[in-house]
Amino acid sequence: MLMEFYRGIPPLLLQFIMTVGFSFVVGLEFRSYHHANNYKLHFGSTRTFVLIGVLGFILYTMDPSRLLFAAGLLLLGALLLVFYWRLSATKQFSLFSTLFALLIYLIGPITSLFPGWFLVLFIVVLILILSEKTLIHHFSDQLANEEIATLAKFLIISGVILPLLPDQAIAPMLPVTYYRVWLAVIIVSGFSYLSYLINSYFFKSRSLLITGLLGGLYSSTAATVVIGRQAHSLDSTSGRKVSSALIIATIMMYMRLLAIIFVFDKSVAMQLLAPFIVIIFISALAVFGLLTVRNHAPILHETTEVKHPLELSTAILFALLFMLFAFITQYVTSNYGSHGLKYMAIIVGFTDIDPFILSLLSGKFIVSDSALVSAVILASGSNNLLKATYAIALARNRSVLFGAAWLAFLFIISILYTYKYA
C-alpha cells in the first residue's frame, strides 16, 4: 500500500520535496554551526538555504539548455562575492560559507540527475563537515606531512604505473605478467598501508590483543615477533592474553589471504573457503575460551613504532620475490608435478608466503586447482609452525605455550587435510 502511494507521487513533485527537505536540514545544521562557533557575520538563515536550493532546482528544471541555471549560478556567485568582500573587511578570509552556499544550489540538479543514494550521501557529507569541525581539525593536525606524500605514491603506483604495464608473460620460464606482478604489490601494500594507518593514528598505545588484530592484517609473522618479545617480560599468569594475541594474528592472516586470493582466482578462493572458515572459526572459539576464563593479568601496552609499509625498497623486494617464486614454481611443477609443489609449499612457509601464494595464483602452471589449494594450505600451515617457533624462542617462558601449541596444531591439521582431502 505504501509503495503504491510512493509510486503515485509525480517524480517532479518528489524531487522538489527532497530539494526543500534536504536544503532545510542542511540549513538547520549550518545555523547550529554558526551559533556554536560564535560567528557574527553570515549571509542568511535556514530559510535562505531553502530558497537557494529551490532556486537551483527551478532554474535547472525550467530550461533544458541549462542557461538559466548557469545564469543563476553566476548571480548567486556575485552576491556571495559581495558577502565575502564584506567579510574580508573584518579580517575573516574563510571561503567556507561561500562555497557551502554554492553546494546548496547544486542540490536541485543532484536530485534530478543522480540516484537517491548519491543524494543522501551528498547531504550526509555536508552535515558531517558542519558538525565534525573539531574532529576534522584534530585529524588534520595529527596527520604527518609525509603521509600525504605516501598517499600520493600509492596513487601513482596503483593508478598510473599499473595501467601502463602489459598483461603478457615476462618469459617462458616465468609465466606471470608484468601487470599481475605489480597488481600483487599494490594489493599487499594496500592491506599493509591500511593496517599501518590504523595502528599509527587510532591505536598509538596498543594492547597485545590489538597488536595481534592489526599486526596480523599487516604481517602475522611480524606481529608474532612483537608479541613474543613483549611476552618475555611477562609471567605465566598473562598466558591467556598472550596466546589469544598470537592466535588472533593468525586468524587475521587467514582472513587477509582469503580476501587477496578472491581478487586473483575466485575458483581457488571458493575451494579454500571451507577449510579457512573452519580454521578461523575454531581459532576464534579458542580465543573466546581463553578470554572468558578469569584472568587477573595486567593490561600491557605495546608502543613500538610501526615500520612504514610503502617504502619503494619494500615494493621492489616483494616484486623480486614474487618473480623468484614464480620461476621456482615453474621449475618444480614442470619437473616434479603437484607432489613437488606440495613439498615446496611446506618449505616456503618458513619464509614470506605472500609473494609465493600470489605468484602461484597469477602464473599459468601445469597443475590443477586442487594442487594450488593444497599448496596454499600447506604454505600457510607451515608458516604457523614458524610463528610458533618464533614465539617460544623470543618469549622464553610459559606465557606463549598455549598459543604456540595451537599454531603447531593448525600446522598438523593443514598437513592432514591436504593429504587426505585436497
Side-chain angles (χ1 to χ4, degrees), residues 195 199 210-223 249 252 256:
S195 175
N199 265 301
I210 295 297
T211 299
L213 184 69
L214 299 178
L217 185 63
Y218 170 59
S219 169
S220 60
T221 304
M252 295 306 298
R256 175 173 54 86

Side-chain angles (χ1 to χ4, degrees), residues 4 80 228 279-280 349 392:
E4 292 179 1
L80 292 173
I279 290 175
I280 292 170
I392 294 173

Side-chain angles (χ1 to χ4, degrees), residues 2-259:
L2 184 61
M3 289 301 297
E4 292 179 1
F5 175 76
Y6 176 78
R7 290 172 185 155
I9 301 176
L12 184 63
L13 176 59
L14 187 61
Q15 292 168 5
F16 179 77
I17 292 173
M18 288 193 295
T19 300
V20 172
F22 284 129
S23 299
F24 181 77
V25 170
V26 176
L28 286 176
E29 189 62 40
F30 188 79
R31 185 171 180 272
S32 300
Y33 168 81
H34 272 268
H35 285 181
N37 293 278
N38 296 318
Y39 292 146
K40 303 300 182 183
L41 289 176
H42 52 88
F43 57 84
S45 61
T46 305
R47 294 173 300 172
T48 307
F49 270 62
V50 174
L51 290 175
I52 292 174
V54 170
L55 178 66
F57 176 79
I58 292 176
L59 293 180
Y60 183 84
T61 307
M62 284 178 58
D63 182 16
S65 67
R66 315 304 181 211
L67 292 177
L68 282 177
F69 178 78
L73 182 62
L74 290 175
L75 177 61
L76 178 63
L79 292 174
L80 292 173
L81 184 61
V82 173
F83 166 74
Y84 182 73
W85 172 75
R86 179 69 181 87
L87 195 66
S88 62
T90 62
K91 307 299 181 182
Q92 299 181 51
F93 301 102
S94 173
L95 286 169
F96 182 80
S97 297
T98 305
L99 294 176
F100 220 84
L102 295 176
L103 290 174
I104 298 302
Y105 186 73
L106 297 177
I107 289 180
I110 290 175
T111 305
S112 303
L113 288 175
F114 292 87
W117 64 264
F118 182 84
L119 174 63
V120 173
L121 179 63
F122 179 73
I123 299 301
V124 168
V125 169
L126 293 183
I127 292 175
L128 287 177
I129 289 174
L130 288 171
S131 60
E132 300 299 334
K133 175 184 176 181
T134 303
L135 179 63
I136 294 171
H137 282 184
H138 176 74
F139 179 77
S140 60
D141 291 339
Q142 293 295 317
L143 190 65
N145 291 333
E146 57 267 20
E147 295 301 342
I148 305 300
T150 301
L151 179 60
K153 292 177 186 177
F154 185 74
L155 293 176
I156 290 173
I157 66 173
S158 59
V160 178
I161 297 178
L162 182 64
L164 297 177
L165 296 175
D167 194 13
Q168 62 185 40
I170 297 175
M173 282 297 294
L174 202 58
V176 291
T177 67
Y178 298 94
Y179 181 89
R180 302 283 278 189
V181 170
W182 204 247
L183 178 63
V185 172
I186 291 171
I187 291 175
V188 174
S189 297
F191 272 96
S192 302
Y193 188 43
L194 174 63
S195 175
Y196 166 79
L197 290 177
I198 297 174
N199 265 301
S200 299
Y201 292 101
F202 295 96
F203 296 100
K204 290 186 177 181
S205 179
R206 299 181 296 279
S207 69
L208 281 178
L209 299 181
I210 295 297
T211 299
L213 184 69
L214 299 178
L217 185 63
Y218 170 59
S219 169
S220 60
T221 304
T224 299
V225 170
V226 171
I227 294 168
R229 286 174 177 168
Q230 291 292 312
H232 180 61
S233 60
L234 302 175
D235 53 30
S236 59
T237 60
S238 303
R240 292 187 180 92
K241 288 188 176 179
V242 172
S243 294
S244 296
L246 291 173
I247 298 172
I248 287 173
T250 295
I251 290 175
M252 295 306 298
M253 177 196 74
Y254 280 106
M255 295 177 68
R256 175 173 54 86
L257 283 178
L258 197 57

